[in-house]
Amino acid sequence: MLRSPRILFLALLIFGALTLFWTRPYNRIPSINRTTSTDSATSEQPTLALPRGRAPAGSSTDAKNDTLGFERVFVINLPERYDKLDAFSLAASLTGFKHDVIEGIKGATIVNKTLPSLENLPPLIQRTDRKSEEQHRRLLARPFKLCAEVSWSNATFPMAHLTQKNRIVRDRISTALVLEDDSDWDVSFKEQLVDFATGARYVQGLTTKPRSPYGDDWDLLWLGHCSAQQNLDNDQRRFVVENDPTVPPMNHRVNFNEVPKLVQMGYDNTTRIVFEARDGVCLYSYALSYRGAQKVLRWQNNVKRFNPIDIGIGNQCKNDPNFKCIAVFPQLVDSHKSAGRQSRDSDIGQFDPKQIREKGFTYNIVRSTRLNIENLMNHGQDAKIEDQWTDLPELTGPPRRKYE
C-alpha cells in the first residue's frame, strides 16, 4: 500500500514526458532543407545592403589556414598518374595546405545510357556499328582530364568532377575547393586568397558577418580559368587591387576566350579584379558551396545538348539566374607544364614522345610555386623567389585596394 502513491507518481511523470515529446514540432529526422552544422555556408541569405565603396563585413584571415578557408580541399588525379599527384602534393605542402584526392574515372567504364543527353555528341562517341567500336574504345580509353575541347557529357573525362560534386552533397560539405593535379599558383597564394575573399564578400554586398571568409551567398568561385566574362549588369560591384606585383604583364597572358578588358575599363596592366561572372572556360581550380554543388548536379544532369564540362558550368553561370558565380582576373591558378617529355603533359592529348621541353612553365603565374620548389625546400621563408619572366614592370609602393 505504501508503494502505490510512488508508482502512480512515476506513471504520471512518464506519461507527461511522452506527451511533451510527441506533441512538440516534428524535427527529429534531419532534412536536406534544414540548416545543420554541416550544411552549406550559403543556406541562409544574408542582408544585401552594403553601400558601394565600403568594406564588407567579416574577416579574410581564415583564407590562410590549412584548408585555405574552405571546409575541404580536393585534387582530381588518375591513380596511375602518381607522378602528378606527387608534384601537386609537394607544391601544396610548401604552400601550407592539405588536400584529399578524388580519383579520376576512365571513360571506358562509362556507358551512353548513363548520360543525360546524346544530342550533338561527336560520332565516335556514339557507338553505332562494329567499325566505330574500336575507335570508340580508343577514345574512351583516354582517362579523365578536364579540358575545353572535350565534351563533359560524353562522360569520358568529367565524371570525376561530377563525382566530386556528389561527394559534397552526400557528405554535406559546406564549401570545397577543387584543383586539377597539374595546377600551379603563386608563392603568395594565401595572401592572394585573403584579397580574393575580401573581394568575394564585397561582390555579395555583405553587411553581416558570414561564416565563411568568402561570404555566405555564392555557388561557385572561379579561381583558375582560361576565360571569365563579367556580368553585363553595369551596376555590379568590383573589388580592385592595383599595383599588384603578382599580375602577369599583357604580353605573358594566355587565355582562350573573352576576359575583362582592364585597360578599356580604366585600369592599368598591374590590376586584378574580383567580379560576378556570367560565363567562363576551363576549370583549373574552382570552389563550390553545398548549395552550389546541388545546383550543378541538377543542371548538368538535365542538359539538352553535348557540352564540355567547363562550357556547361559557364552556361549555368550565364543562364541560371539562381546560380551565383564569382571570378577573379587575372586568374590565381593555372596549368603547369613541366620540363621533360611533353607526352607527360596530358592524358587526352596526342604528343610526339620524342618532343622534349627544356624548361617548365606555368601560364599566367608570375612567381610559380612549382618553378620555385627547390628554393622553397632549401631555404624556406628565406628563399629567394624567382619570377617567371624578366620583363616585369617595376612597381613602387604597396598594392592599392578599392571597392567599386
Side-chain angles (χ1 to χ4, degrees), residues 73-94:
V73 177
F74 294 102
V75 57
I76 295 179
N77 167 259
L78 275 171
E80 59 266 34
R81 289 308 305 267
Y82 55 83
D83 57 323
K84 287 191 171 186
L85 184 58
D86 286 349
F88 180 93
S89 298
L90 181 56
S93 69
L94 293 170

Side-chain angles (χ1 to χ4, degrees), residues 373-384:
I373 279 182
E374 291 296 329
N375 291 335
L376 292 169
M377 290 185 64
N378 294 331
H379 304 289
Q381 294 183 350
D382 297 325
K384 181 180 179 182

Side-chain angles (χ1 to χ4, degrees), residues 217-390:
D217 188 31
W218 56 272
D219 295 302
L220 181 138
L221 304 178
W222 217 323
L223 283 77
H225 53 78
C226 58
S227 168
Q229 301 176 30
Q230 294 187 88
N231 191 316
L232 295 179
D233 182 1
N234 291 327
D235 194 42
Q236 75 156 302
R237 300 169 183 267
R238 282 192 295 268
F239 177 70
V240 180
V241 182
E242 297 177 330
N243 205 45
D244 185 342
T246 70
V247 170
M250 284 290 294
N251 59 316
H252 292 296
R253 295 181 192 175
V254 179
N255 293 285
F256 303 139
N257 208 327
E258 184 178 342
V259 294
K261 298 176 175 61
L262 297 180
V263 174
Q264 294 182 19
M265 295 165 61
Y267 305 117
D268 64 27
N269 286 325
T270 63
T271 300
R272 176 172 276 119
I273 63 173
V274 179
F275 56 95
E276 186 171 347
R278 68 176 178 88
D279 205 346
V281 182
C282 299
L283 292 173
Y284 303 127
S285 177
Y286 61 96
L288 280 171
S289 65
Y290 177 72
R291 81 174 191 195
Q294 288 179 311
K295 293 176 182 180
V296 170
L297 284 179
R298 170 187 54 81
W299 182 276
Q300 301 296 348
N301 281 288
N302 288 282
V303 295
K304 305 300 182 184
R305 289 176 60 83
F306 165 94
N307 268 319
I309 180 65
D310 50 345
I311 301 299
I313 294 290
N315 286 340
Q316 187 168 1
C317 291
K318 180 164 61 173
N319 299 317
D320 184 348
N322 297 313
F323 192 70
K324 182 171 289 188
C325 304
I326 297 175
V328 56
F329 180 78
Q331 51 270 63
L332 300 182
V333 179
D334 217 305
S335 177
H336 176 71
K337 308 300 180 185
S338 61
R341 298 192 313 277
Q342 294 187 29
S343 58
R344 301 175 67 225
D345 285 355
S346 174
D347 296 302
I348 60 173
Q350 300 296 321
F351 299 92
D352 183 347
K354 296 181 180 180
Q355 289 183 322
I356 304 296
R357 181 180 297 112
E358 296 298 328
K359 183 178 180 181
F361 69 91
T362 300
Y363 294 115
N364 301 307
I365 304 298
V366 174
R367 301 176 301 184
S368 159
T369 295
R370 297 204 186 210
L371 295 178
N372 278 284
I373 279 182
E374 291 296 329
N375 291 335
L376 292 169
M377 290 185 64
N378 294 331
H379 304 289
Q381 294 183 350
D382 297 325
K384 181 180 179 182
I385 302 303
E386 296 181 5
D387 297 329
Q388 192 167 187
W389 307 290
T390 59

Side-chain angles (χ1 to χ4, degrees), residues 129-180:
D129 53 49
R130 289 196 172 201
K131 185 176 180 180
S132 65
E133 175 74 23
E134 178 62 18
Q135 292 174 311
H136 175 85
R137 185 191 64 76
R138 290 177 180 174
L139 180 66
L140 291 190
R142 302 178 188 175
F144 166 85
K145 177 69 173 71
L146 185 64
C147 171
E149 66 269 18
V150 180
S151 164
W152 79 265
S153 53
N154 69 15
T156 306
F157 311 106
M159 290 304 294
H161 278 264
L162 292 182
T163 298
Q164 174 269 329
K165 294 165 183 61
N166 182 289
R167 171 97 174 259
I168 294 173
V169 173
R170 185 177 70 246
D171 293 348
R172 305 183 73 83
I173 298 170
S174 61
T175 58
L177 176 65
V178 183
L179 302 106
E180 294 190 339

